[in-house]
Amino acid sequence: MGIIQIAGVLDVEDARTLVDCDVDWVGIPLRLPVHTPDVDDAGAARIASAVGPGRTVVITYLTNPEEITSLCCGIGVDKVQLHGDVSPEALAALRTRAPRLFVIKSVIIRPSVPRTELAREARAAEPYVDMFIADSHDPRTGADGATGLVHDWTVSTALARELSRPFLLAGGLRPDNVKEAIETVTPAGVDAHTGVEAPDGRNDPELVRRFVTRARAAFAARTNAQAHRRQP
């Protein structure tokens, strides 16, 4: 039906707002080289406990399998989203060390990097991950993700079709463009961060509800269209 993830929460109350708005996964960025994390490890653990099992994703730039495993175990989560430059060898080691950990690997869309190179790197990681997420790079800050920038969806569309793993779409998604994004890229799910935030950095309940409502409608329309095409 389509996964909806919202990344970035300030506390348990903020996370419960997302759950009340029917968000599937709550993303918590930690160990970041550019942005300052919204919460510390203890706060992240409280959030993971409050929203229930399977709904929290740790988002990190860590690349060492031991450090990644230790972080996830310490927080008490079974999903991790890797935005760092993690080699296939490190991913294989992570899979061996934590076989039950659900691993999401980022594919950062940069105008300077050809789609064929992105696809080659993703295919090398594919045996060791459960899902990919396409996100945007900000050349001004060096950030990969949480940029508020929309990347070239033709690249995401091609990658989503070429790779066998499910594909999340991120990068500048907001209530006013998520329907078009789903229709264009046909991802397995969508992720928003800055596009649903209030000025104080908390998630705006109205923006989140609009984002979820429009994303759910777009996913449902796609499912119905696929079912119609399968009919004799």
Side-chain angles (χ1 to χ4, degrees):
M1 190 60 178
I3 296 165
I4 299 175
Q5 173 174 283
I6 303 296
V9 290
L10 300 182
D11 49 34
V12 169
E13 180 184 1
D14 200 18
R16 284 177 172 155
T17 294
L18 300 183
V19 173
D20 291 344
C21 292
D22 194 31
V23 168
D24 296 301
W25 294 348
V26 175
I28 302 179
L30 295 168
R31 308 294 192 275
L32 312 176
V34 177
H35 300 296
T36 301
D38 296 315
V39 297
D40 58 15
D41 290 9
R46 288 192 293 271
I47 290 168
S49 176
V51 302
R55 302 192 73 160
T56 304
V57 180
V58 165
I59 302 169
T60 182
Y61 283 78
L62 290 176
T63 60
N64 180 281
E66 184 176 354
E67 292 177 350
I68 294 167
T69 304
S70 177
L71 175 63
C72 292
C73 289
I75 303 301
V77 301
D78 59 6
K79 293 183 176 68
V80 65
Q81 184 173 310
L82 302 175
H83 273 268
D85 187 16
V86 188
S87 68
E89 294 76 17
L91 290 169
L94 177 62
R95 180 60 73 199
T96 300
R97 177 179 289 273
R100 296 184 180 179
L101 187 64
F102 189 95
V103 178
I104 306 167
K105 179 68 181 72
S106 69
V107 178
I108 305 301
I109 311 299
R110 295 177 172 88
S112 60
V113 180
R115 179 186 59 79
T116 52
E117 182 176 338
L118 292 173
R120 178 183 58 79
E121 293 175 355
R123 279 193 292 269
E126 202 163 21
Y128 314 110
V129 305
D130 300 284
M131 180 175 281
F132 289 104
I133 181 167
D135 212 337
S136 303
H137 173 74
D138 188 344
R140 298 168 301 175
T141 65
D144 295 330
T147 64
L149 302 177
V150 177
H151 59 259
D152 184 351
W153 285 346
T154 63
V155 177
S156 301
T157 302
L159 289 171
R161 292 172 179 170
E162 290 178 26
L163 300 172
S164 62
R165 299 299 188 193
F167 212 87
L168 293 179
L169 179 66
L173 297 186
R174 309 176 300 275
D176 61 357
N177 68 1
V178 67
K179 177 178 181 291
E180 180 186 1
I182 292 169
E183 292 172 345
T184 301
V185 182
T186 65
V190 290
D191 167 281
H193 190 164
T194 59
V196 293
E197 281 186 352
D200 63 357
R202 302 184 74 83
N203 287 291
D204 184 313
E206 181 56 31
L207 289 177
V208 174
R209 289 190 188 95
R210 282 161 48 196
F211 185 89
V212 170
T213 297
R214 293 173 184 179
R216 295 277 184 226
F219 284 129
R222 185 178 70 188
T223 299
N224 292 337
Q226 291 170 343
H228 181 73
R229 286 195 295 268
R230 287 194 296 266
Q231 292 178 354

